[in-house]
Amino acid sequence: MNFEDWFPLYLQITDSLKINRMADYESSILLRKFIHNSDEIIEPYRGRNAFIVGNGKNLKNVLGTISGGYVIVADSAIETYNRLYGNPDMIVTDLDGNMDSIIDAYNNGSFVFVHAHGDNMPAITKYAKYFSRGIATTQYIPMKYLYNYGGFSDGDRSAFLADHLGAPHITLLGFDFKNVNMKPNYDQAAVSRKKIKLLWAEYLLGYLAKSRGTSMSTGDIIEI
């Protein structure tokens, strides 16, 4: 996705969630201090089919359908995927998933895309040093060694990454846009915010499908 196409969407998303865009910028600059690699290291995956793994409640029922492509796991799904299938090819994270599992997968060969946004600067300071061979991403303005493929949350950013790599087919597993899958101790404001993010994720994936000349299917297994 071209940044010129992404930025108007980003402005709408950040307005709807009252996100501080300058904090997104500051977080991006911070991340570049820890990770500064070219994304050419993932070129061997170009042109291959992609499976995107999210953390929906239906995840365990559909993981067995993965065959004949590479796997990108959104960080909240890493525990389930790792327990059943080992290390994925790639992990997309804003550093709020199970960090022990993500670090272990990274040390065992998974490519990790570490994302910067205004709310995760403390996590970047704490964890980014463990991913020196990773790839840094932002939802704000890209710059050298800081990439913006499009997308906002870990799941939809994974799909935009696969599209960037020219995946002929992108299959989404464990995606649920209606039900919030959060720990019980989250307050109602956080749940409401998550619901808005899910609406945006669904919209962005539909947008991506349309840009690919198709439409997004529905069900436990989603094709775009």
Side-chain angles (χ1 to χ4, degrees):
M1 184 179 212
N2 294 327
F3 180 73
E4 292 77 12
D5 295 327
W6 165 249
F7 198 64
L9 294 169
Y10 169 75
L11 295 178
Q12 294 177 55
I13 294 168
T14 51
D15 283 346
S16 72
L17 289 163
K18 297 180 173 57
I19 287 173
N20 183 333
R21 293 191 275 265
M22 183 52 63
D24 280 351
Y25 170 74
E26 292 169 354
S27 179
S28 301
I29 296 301
L30 176 63
L31 181 59
R32 286 185 80 223
K33 295 180 180 179
F34 294 95
I35 302 174
H36 31 77
N37 300 309
S38 169
D39 67 352
E40 292 179 359
I41 59 177
I42 57 168
E43 280 299 305
Y45 292 93
R46 181 165 295 280
R48 296 169 55 187
N49 293 334
F51 291 86
I52 313 299
V53 178
N55 195 36
K57 294 180 180 179
N58 62 349
L59 176 58
K60 292 181 181 178
N61 299 329
V62 294
L63 277 178
T65 62
I66 294 175
S67 178
Y70 63 91
V71 176
I72 308 176
V73 172
D75 69 359
S76 59
I78 186 61
E79 288 180 83
T80 300
Y81 184 88
N82 187 267
R83 184 170 63 252
L84 296 173
Y85 292 100
N87 300 315
D89 298 289
M90 304 177 196
I91 301 170
V92 169
T93 179
D94 61 358
L95 305 176
D96 68 352
N98 185 309
M99 293 311 301
D100 289 338
S101 296
I102 295 171
I103 291 169
D104 182 69
Y106 166 80
N107 288 334
N108 284 282
S110 296
F111 288 104
V112 174
F113 292 77
V114 180
H115 189 68
H117 58 70
D119 292 336
N120 74 340
M121 282 187 272
I124 289 173
T125 300
K126 183 175 181 178
Y127 292 115
K129 61 188 176 185
Y130 295 107
F131 304 106
S132 60
R133 302 187 314 277
I135 298 169
T137 66
T138 180
Q139 58 204 30
Y140 197 61
I141 300 170
M143 55 192 78
K144 187 175 183 180
Y145 303 140
L146 183 70
Y147 298 93
N148 186 338
Y149 306 111
F152 185 72
S153 56
D154 291 330
D156 53 88
R157 284 202 317 275
S158 299
F160 277 87
L161 168 60
D163 181 69
H164 168 77
L165 285 170
H169 301 285
I170 301 174
T171 304
L172 310 178
L173 307 172
F175 279 67
D176 184 349
F177 304 111
K178 306 302 179 187
N179 299 300
V180 175
N181 189 7
M182 298 177 73
K183 297 177 181 178
N185 60 336
Y186 277 90
D187 61 29
Q188 189 57 46
V191 173
S192 297
R193 188 177 177 85
K194 180 65 173 181
K195 288 181 178 178
I196 296 173
K197 289 182 178 180
L198 289 176
L199 289 172
W200 274 114
E202 184 175 22
Y203 176 83
L204 290 171
L205 290 168
Y207 182 100
L208 177 61
K210 185 176 180 180
S211 74
R212 290 166 59 86
T214 184
S215 59
M216 185 172 69
S217 65
T218 60
D220 288 346
I221 299 174
I222 301 171
E223 304 283 348
I224 60 174

